[in-house]
Amino acid sequence: MAAQFGRRLRKGAATTAVAAVAVAALSASQAPGVNDHGRQTTADATPSPEASASDGSATGNSPYYTDLPPLKSPNPSPSTGPAPGGTGSTESGIPATVLDAYKKAEATLRQAKPGCNLPWQLLAAIGRVESGQARGGRVDADGTTIKKILGPQLDGNGFALIKDTDDGAYDGNSSYDQAVGPMQFIPSTWAWAGRDGNGDGKKDPNNIYDAALAAGHYLCRNNWDLSQQGDLDRAILSYNNSRDYLNLVMRWLEYYRKGAHEVPDGTGTLPDNRSDDGAGASPTPTVPGATTPAGSTPKPGPKPGKPEKPETPQKPGGGGTTTPKPPTTPPGTPSTPPSTPPTPTDTVDHLEDAATGKLTAMAGDAFSRRISTRAETEAGKSVAKVRVRFTIVGDTDTTFTGGEDVATVATNSSGVAVAPALQAGEKTGTVTVRATVVGRVIPGLDYKATVTERAADALARTGDAALTCAPGGTFANQVEVKATYKGAVADGVAATATLIKSADDPTVTDKGPYFKDADGKTVRTLTGLKTDAKGLLKLPTLYADDTTGTFLLRVTTAGGATLTVELTVAAAETSSPSPSASPSA
């Protein structure tokens, strides 16, 4: 698989200078209108009331690039190339490997979640805003970024406060979380949303194939249909809970819908401005991979054959570079994180069940009850605004609505987090759902859910034709029954059909009507039967031996539904001969 993604997607010089692009236009000059496909542009549309009610975000609401798409048409002309510093068609150029990752993610989601209607242009819009398309396509042949792309640490200093959740495994920071990779997932989200998009057996947030597929699944959860504006708003806001972010992503989405083209990796244009500019914090990623500050001269890419040196960290606020100072503490001495007031998460001592009740569902059905968990302090006081992660563990095909096996929900004002509805799979038995607090090491709370086999409580024949046959013959009509459960169609229900001795003796008879197996041998019990999507079950053809009389066929299903059908084997009636005429006198 690595070879598949290692094909040379770059078209042009392998080492083209990477240039930054100036801001093309003011937002006031980009009023929404109607695009060339007749769709109304919704960049400035106000989200529906519930659209902003996000319980978290993929990025932890980290900073993002705020550059607007240019006014010039994105449709490239044949003579227009990716000139450094250009606008219009240059801005619409997406690095080859990055574009390939977006389109592969769209194709995968089209199969996995066709009702989501995810367009690759949405991934491109988010990728542009989050990382400038993986820093202009600075990725290797497998799609992994040349250097890690990290957002600032989320220490509450101008950003959200999210203490370390991964022991630094993804972001290298064991004190606070940082958004990671070209799609800027925070570690706690990647832990459940991560995907293997390039088939190498790993889920790497720094790989554009993995990150793009993860972003697609993230945007397609909750049964959202992204062709509907309300669901599209909700999905984008769940990625970064900001109306400005929503409007910006919508602008880039509409821009890419009007036209986009492939450019060689490493030659994509780089954004200049970030949402945290002037906020007193670093406006660029805090590790190598940071963007060029606004107004400065962009650096060319590395020369062929020479290793790339780490970029110099910038001053807070984007004020150029600084000369590193000698450390004031001996090497190896751990730095002490700044003192911060305890967060709601810090005060959680344990989780309690919040009147969830019994969790039972038939295979293939949705559970009628949802898991409810309350976060409490040691004194038993409820804690609001705490992220609770619900994880389905063990060997099961039961999922949450939308097909995910992990969901993260914030506690409400009563300290209660309600998990998405569970959807039972086909595997029966006990399913364990574990609730844990994100960012807090305390014992989890396990819930047991039971999946029972599909059942029917009633069976009826679909026809009333008599079932008769002559000895040694074939029954002309096949037996068809319909199964229901509480009046509704009972599909996929296991059934058994047996020719029994009598109504009082359900043992298998050794004479009378019979079925044939694949080898043509006589069988009088059929197992492994299942009703179809309409709850119907049509039995194979019945045959009769030489025994005449009335016989019984009994059909039973999981759930206890039973139907007994009469079968008659009788010799054909023969007509009486007419009396002979009297002889003539």
Side-chain angles (χ1 to χ4, degrees):
M1 183 60 72
Q4 176 184 353
F5 289 92
R7 293 193 304 263
R8 278 292 159 190
L9 297 171
R10 300 152 179 82
K11 295 181 179 179
T15 56
T16 303
V18 180
V21 176
V23 178
L26 298 176
S27 59
S29 66
Q30 297 192 352
V34 177
N35 67 19
D36 54 356
H37 299 292
R39 283 187 298 266
Q40 183 178 1
T41 302
T42 49
D44 287 327
T46 301
S48 54
E50 60 268 43
S52 58
S54 173
D55 288 326
S57 72
T59 68
N61 298 326
S62 294
Y64 53 90
Y65 291 108
T66 58
D67 292 37
L68 296 167
L71 293 174
K72 188 175 179 181
S73 170
N75 294 305
S77 63
S79 60
T80 303
T87 58
S89 62
T90 302
E91 284 284 359
S92 69
I94 300 175
T97 299
V98 178
L99 180 60
D100 187 55
Y102 295 152
K103 290 185 175 181
K104 277 186 167 59
E106 179 197 55
T108 300
L109 268 298
R110 192 183 302 123
Q111 295 294 323
K113 297 182 179 180
C116 175
N117 295 305
L118 171 79
W120 68 259
Q121 292 91 340
L122 176 59
L123 297 176
I126 290 175
R128 169 74 192 196
V129 170
E130 292 295 346
S131 69
Q133 309 298 20
R135 301 275 301 134
R138 296 172 71 180
V139 296
D140 64 19
D142 294 324
T144 302
T145 57
I146 302 301
K147 292 185 294 185
K148 287 187 176 182
I149 302 173
L150 297 182
Q153 67 177 15
L154 300 175
D155 57 6
N157 182 23
F159 313 112
L161 175 57
I162 302 180
K163 293 189 176 181
D164 174 64
T165 61
D166 66 329
D167 198 26
Y170 293 117
D171 54 16
N173 189 335
S174 58
S175 297
Y176 300 96
D177 271 354
Q178 294 175 245
V180 183
M183 302 304 279
Q184 289 289 277
F185 280 96
I186 55 174
S188 60
T189 302
W190 184 261
W192 63 267
R195 293 292 191 280
D196 176 14
N198 62 353
D200 64 357
K202 297 183 294 183
K203 299 176 183 179
D204 182 2
N206 301 295
N207 181 279
I208 186 59
Y209 288 100
D210 294 358
L213 184 58
H217 276 281
Y218 186 90
L219 294 164
C220 285
R221 69 198 195 285
N222 298 329
N223 284 335
W224 283 329
D225 178 359
L226 302 186
S227 66
Q228 303 297 316
Q229 189 61 46
D231 282 356
L232 180 59
D233 289 349
R234 294 178 184 92
I236 296 172
L237 285 167
S238 77
Y239 213 88
N240 192 312
N241 191 18
S242 160
R243 287 174 182 264
D244 289 340
Y245 182 87
L246 167 66
N247 291 339
L248 182 62
V249 169
M250 283 303 307
R251 288 184 187 278
W252 280 106
L253 171 58
E254 294 299 332
Y255 181 75
Y256 286 132
R257 274 175 169 166
K258 293 176 182 177
H261 64 287
E262 176 186 298
V263 299
D265 289 347
T267 66
T269 58
L270 299 178
D272 286 318
N273 304 290
R274 286 172 61 88
S275 58
D276 57 339
D277 281 354
S282 172
T284 62
T286 57
V287 298
T291 62
T292 305
S296 66
T297 303
K299 300 179 190 178
K303 293 183 179 180
K306 289 189 177 182
E308 188 174 4
K309 295 181 180 179
E311 297 177 8
T312 306
Q314 296 180 333
K315 291 180 181 179
T321 60
T322 61
T323 302
K325 297 180 179 180
T328 56
T329 56
T333 302
S335 58
T336 302
S339 176
T340 57
T343 66
T345 300
D346 294 330
T347 67
V348 177
D349 176 75
H350 59 274
L351 294 174
E352 288 286 343
D353 174 49
T356 297
K358 188 176 182 180
L359 297 167
T360 303
M362 194 182 297
D365 289 349
F367 283 74
S368 59
R369 291 180 176 272
R370 295 167 67 178
I371 296 173
S372 297
T373 303
R374 184 170 52 254
E376 295 184 354
T377 65
E378 186 176 6
K381 182 179 179 181
S382 299
V383 186
K385 298 182 180 179
V386 171
R387 289 181 298 159
V388 177
R389 180 180 297 146
F390 298 94
T391 305
I392 300 173
V393 298
D395 181 19
T396 179
D397 55 356
T398 292
T399 64
F400 291 114
T401 302
E404 305 293 344
D405 56 10
V406 181
T408 301
V409 182
T411 56
N412 59 21
S413 58
S414 300
V416 175
V418 180
L422 284 166
Q423 176 68 40
E426 295 302 320
K427 292 182 179 180
T428 60
T430 301
V431 177
T432 299
V433 180
R434 182 165 299 147
T436 56
V437 177
V438 177
R440 181 81 168 151
V441 182
I442 59 174
L445 182 62
D446 283 356
Y447 291 84
K448 300 297 182 182
T450 302
V451 178
T452 61
E453 64 180 333
R454 293 172 182 256
D457 56 13
L459 281 173
R461 279 190 66 195
T462 58
D464 56 5
L467 298 168
T468 60
C469 180
T474 302
F475 283 82
N477 297 310
Q478 289 178 257
V479 177
E480 184 181 64
V481 299
K482 182 174 183 178
T484 56
Y485 183 78
K486 295 182 178 179
V489 167
D491 61 315
V493 178
T496 300
T498 306
L499 290 150
I500 60 176
K501 290 182 176 179
S502 69
D504 298 325
D505 185 358
T507 56
V508 182
T509 184
D510 57 359
K511 58 185 177 179
Y514 61 91
F515 299 105
K516 290 182 180 180
D517 64 12
D519 297 325
K521 295 180 179 179
T522 298
V523 291
R524 289 190 169 89
T525 297
L526 297 177
T527 60
L529 305 173
K530 277 193 176 183
T531 59
D532 65 14
K534 297 180 180 180
L536 299 176
L537 173 63
K538 193 170 188 177
L539 298 181
T541 300
L542 277 162
Y543 303 89
D545 60 13
D546 294 334
T547 309
T548 59
T550 299
F551 303 90
L552 299 180
L553 169 67
R554 179 161 292 173
V555 182
T556 59
T557 69
T562 301
L563 176 67
T564 302
V565 181
E566 283 192 358
L567 306 172
T568 302
V569 179
E573 294 184 4
T574 56
S575 56
S576 300
S578 58
S580 302
S582 300
S584 303

